[in-house]
Structures are given as structure tokens and as C-alpha cells.
Amino acid sequence: MPVQDPADADLQDVPYGMPYRRETRYDPPTGLMAMQAEPLRPMKYYPDGVEGWLVTGHAEARKVLADPRFATGERFTRSPTELPHVFVSISEQVPPGFFLFFDPPEHTRLRRKVTGVFTVKRMKDLEPRIADIVDARIAALRAAGPGADLVREFALPVPSLVICEMLGVPYADREAFQRNSADMLDLSRSVEERNKSMAELFGYLTALVPAKRAEPGDDMLSALAADADIHEVEAAGIALILLVAGHETTANMLALGTFALLEHPAQLARLRVDPGLVPGAVEELLRYLTVAHNGVMRIAKEDAEIDGRRIRAGQHVTVVLQTANRDPRRYEEPGVLDVGRDAQGHMAFGHGVHQCVGQQLARVEMRIGFAKLIEAFPELRLAVPSEEIPMRSDMAVYGVHTLPVNW
């Protein structure tokens, strides 16, 4: 089969950008799902219509994300949507140590400084502390009374408290770092505004490093500050990734996952009857919801052939995790939420060397969080009509802004 190149195609027939605004709360955009008919296809990028590629299939996504010819350590100048992608913002001024935007071997050097903290065994040891935090936030939710916002009282505080303790970041400073974190991921804001929020958060963490070096504690930031192989600004950059990713994604999964279960009462009932289904249900919710919904960006470092398509050096490639996780070639009835499904192989945490370093922590937080929430509130229900729940459609991490609940 001859290799196809978008330069050989009639660009009048190439779509301009990827659909990203959802018509429903839980499903990818209809137009985006329709693109799965051609799981690796040319696409015009904003703002100037330069051709690149869109990857919507599961197998194709794994190939691209595992291929070292596709880089993150490059300047991303174009976006797959009319809203500038978060990659475009961060790549303008990547903080030192922010290894998400570095390629091996530099990525390897920095990431390995924290991988040992997030092993399955270490997360198992952390379970009792996470359970205590979840219990305390369930008590706070109950004390707030019916009509309380599950995001404010439970979903956001649980992972924020956990990652603050692990990093050694004062939870008392949460309003500032949560605001800056949210602003970084708000795609409706300008690139300049997002860069300003990132700089403020990076500056805050950088200021913590000397204090950790002078008076170290039993936390990750102290360990990074004491590492002779890492400059203090690199320690702050590593902490920046962990702080933002460590609470944004899990918080939105806890809130959006609860919303989805409340709107799928038969699935929620299965978990009430058989709590042993919760670990598998977490994987299914990760697959079904895929809160990292705006695509993972890469740039080809050299010409590369994937499934008979020639991707040219310098071209942008967007891998869409939410469609990969809804690929009917990989999952039977992928648009159905089934808490009994074997959802192994989903790509909610990405794939390849940049797969989420904190995925085991997120799993533990969700397993304990969902199990205890379901047990504590057998009559949990929405306090407002579901169509009134504000969705995070223009955020890099999908979810709900608030979730008022009764019991």
C-alpha cells in the first residue's frame, strides 16, 4: 500500500480542527466520534490552517505515544481548536524541571526523581492516611448539610490535602494555588493570562525550596531540595507538575464520576450491593469519562510512517484520549457505562514514557473516595436538575464546576 502524505491530498477536504464542545455531559462530541472512521487523519490546525494530524483510534494512539520520534520538547505554535491548547501556552516558557515538556534523556533524569514515591507498594502504605482524609471530608460534607457542593466539600479537598502532605506544600495556601492551577487550565483565557498564572505558581513553589533545604521535613519537596543533582528551580518545576496534576485530575474524576453514577442509578446500585466492584468501576469511569479531553500534543522530530501515513518532520499531531477510550475496535459498546467491564488498557493516564507518574495515587484516592462516599450516603442524589450542573467544557481537564447534592 503506498504511503499517503497530507501534502498530496486536496486540503479542501481536510477538516479544520477537532470538534471539542460536547453535546452531552459524558460523551465526546458527535463530530469527533465520527472521525474514528479514519483513526489517523490529516487535519488543519489553528490559527493558520497548516496541516498536521489527528489520532482518534486506540491502537493508533498507543503507537504514536510510544514512538520516540514524536516529541514534547518542542515549541507548540498551533492548536487543534480555536482556543489555544494548554500545550501552546506552557511551551512558550517551560519552567525548569517541568519534565512533562522534556524528552529523554532529560525527561528520564527528572522523572526518575519521583517515580519511586508513586509505586504500588508506596501507595498501599499510604492508604490508611488517605482513608482518614476521605473520612474527614465526608464528615465536612455531612456537616455542610443537604444542598452542599460535593466539589467544594469533598472532591477538591481530598486530592489537594493528599498531594499537599506528600509534597510538603502548606494546605493553608490552597486558595492561591488552586486558583492559579485552574487559571492555567482555563482554555477560554488568553495564553498571556495562563502564563501569568503558571509563573505565579512556579514562583510560589520556588520560594518554598530554600526553606525546605534549611529545615527539611518528611516530604517530596524536601527530598528534591536536598538532591545535589537537581537545581532548586528544577525542584520547583517538578513540584509544579505534581501539585497541578495531583489535584486537578482526581478532583474532577471524583466529582464527575459521582455525577455519572447518580445519572446511571442501575450502575450505582451494583456498587452498593457489591463494593468489590469499586476498583474495576474506577477503571471504567476513567475510560468512560476521560477528563483529559482536549488531546495530547506531539511534534514529529523526523519523518515517520504510521499505518501507511507519512507524518512529516515538524508537523503537529494531536492524540485524542477520549475517542481512543471509546474505540469500538477495542471495547464492546464503548458508549455504555458498565461498572462490571474489564476496562484494562484504557488510556485515561496516557501512554508511553509520559504516562501519568501519579496514576497509582489517583487510583487509590478514587477507590477509597468512591467506596466511602457510596457507603456514607445511601440516599445521595442531585440537589438541582442535572441540566443546571455547570460543566467544565472550556477547561483542559473536564468535569463539573459545582455539584450540589442531597441525601
Side-chain angles (χ1 to χ4, degrees):
M1 187 176 86
V3 176
Q4 293 181 305
D5 187 317
D8 303 328
D10 181 357
L11 287 182
Q12 296 297 320
D13 298 328
V14 174
Y16 208 127
M18 57 173 268
Y20 71 96
R21 296 190 186 277
R22 303 185 183 212
E23 297 89 359
T24 67
R25 299 177 190 89
Y26 311 112
D27 300 320
T30 303
L32 186 58
M33 290 299 294
M35 289 180 169
Q36 280 192 320
E38 190 178 359
L40 172 60
R41 63 187 301 156
M43 180 183 73
K44 298 176 186 175
Y45 275 76
Y46 290 90
D48 51 7
V50 169
E51 73 269 20
W53 295 87
L54 182 71
V55 183
T56 57
H58 187 277
E60 295 77 11
R62 288 176 67 91
K63 288 178 183 178
V64 170
L65 294 180
D67 193 324
R69 293 175 296 179
F70 296 98
T72 59
E74 302 286 341
R75 172 81 185 277
F76 293 88
T77 58
R78 296 178 174 90
S79 174
T81 72
E82 70 267 28
L83 299 178
H85 197 285
V86 68
F87 273 53
V88 175
S89 172
I90 294 176
S91 70
E92 281 205 341
Q93 190 173 355
V94 181
F98 201 85
F99 58 80
L100 179 64
F101 275 75
F102 299 153
D103 296 312
E106 187 67 356
H107 168 269
T108 308
R109 178 182 76 86
L110 294 167
R111 180 177 166 122
R112 71 185 179 191
K113 299 298 182 180
V114 296
T115 51
V117 176
F118 292 104
T119 62
V120 173
K121 182 182 184 304
R122 292 289 296 271
M123 295 304 99
K124 185 72 174 177
D125 294 341
L126 196 59
E127 284 186 12
R129 178 56 189 146
I130 294 175
D132 288 343
I133 289 173
V134 170
D135 285 339
R137 295 318 307 174
I138 285 176
L141 178 62
R142 196 183 299 279
D149 178 10
L150 186 128
V151 173
R152 177 184 176 86
E153 303 296 341
F154 180 77
L156 184 55
V158 166
S160 294
L161 281 160
V162 172
I163 198 62
C164 280
E165 286 193 9
M166 290 184 68
L167 276 175
V169 172
Y171 184 65
D173 296 338
R174 64 190 179 279
E175 288 190 11
F177 74 67
Q178 286 173 355
R179 181 184 66 252
N180 280 323
S181 175
D183 288 348
M184 281 175 58
L185 302 177
D186 185 348
L187 302 181
S188 68
R189 297 171 67 87
S190 69
V191 171
E192 293 74 21
E193 289 174 320
R194 281 186 264 158
N195 285 342
K196 182 175 182 294
S197 296
M198 181 173 66
E200 288 180 2
L201 186 50
F202 178 66
Y204 163 75
L205 292 167
T206 301
L208 290 178
V209 175
K212 293 291 183 180
R213 184 172 290 136
E215 296 184 31
D218 185 19
D219 56 69
M220 292 173 60
L221 197 50
S222 292
L224 292 171
D227 192 323
D229 186 43
I230 299 179
H231 192 278
E232 64 180 34
V233 291
E234 290 182 322
I238 293 172
L240 177 61
I241 295 177
L242 300 179
L243 183 61
V244 174
H247 78 272
E248 282 283 352
T249 51
T250 306
N252 283 288
M253 273 303 304
L254 286 170
L256 186 62
T258 300
F259 189 17
L261 289 172
L262 291 176
E263 294 233 279
H264 294 79
Q267 299 302 310
L268 180 57
R270 294 174 68 185
L271 298 181
R272 294 196 191 284
V273 171
D274 184 3
L277 290 175
V278 169
V282 166
E283 302 303 318
E284 171 67 350
L285 287 166
L286 284 162
R287 180 201 70 83
Y288 181 71
L289 298 174
T290 313
V291 295
H293 70 137
N294 283 114
V296 176
M297 300 266 281
R298 295 289 185 266
I299 293 178
K301 294 191 294 185
E302 59 186 79
D303 286 1
E305 180 186 336
I306 300 289
D307 291 349
R309 312 304 296 267
R310 180 182 295 116
I311 301 174
R312 301 195 308 273
Q315 286 188 313
H316 284 52
V317 180
T318 299
V319 178
V320 189
L321 302 180
Q322 59 174 330
T323 55
N325 283 339
R326 295 289 190 97
D327 191 336
R329 299 175 302 165
R330 177 64 178 81
Y331 298 103
E332 186 176 351
E333 295 186 291
V336 174
L337 175 63
D338 177 3
V339 297
R341 182 197 304 269
D342 180 0
Q344 287 188 4
H346 70 76
M347 299 178 65
F349 293 114
H351 183 64
V353 297
H354 288 284
Q355 190 173 38
C356 176
V357 70
Q359 61 180 289
Q360 300 305 334
L361 173 62
R363 286 186 165 101
V364 172
E365 291 173 330
M366 284 185 275
R367 289 169 187 166
I368 295 174
F370 283 125
K372 285 184 172 289
L373 187 69
I374 291 169
E375 180 183 19
F377 297 99
E379 301 297 327
L380 192 68
R381 59 191 184 277
L382 295 176
V384 299
S386 59
E387 59 270 18
E388 294 182 12
I389 302 298
M391 309 303 295
R392 290 168 52 103
S393 300
D394 288 342
M395 303 292 287
V397 180
Y398 188 63
V400 295
H401 288 291
T402 62
L403 190 67
V405 292
N406 284 332
W407 53 86

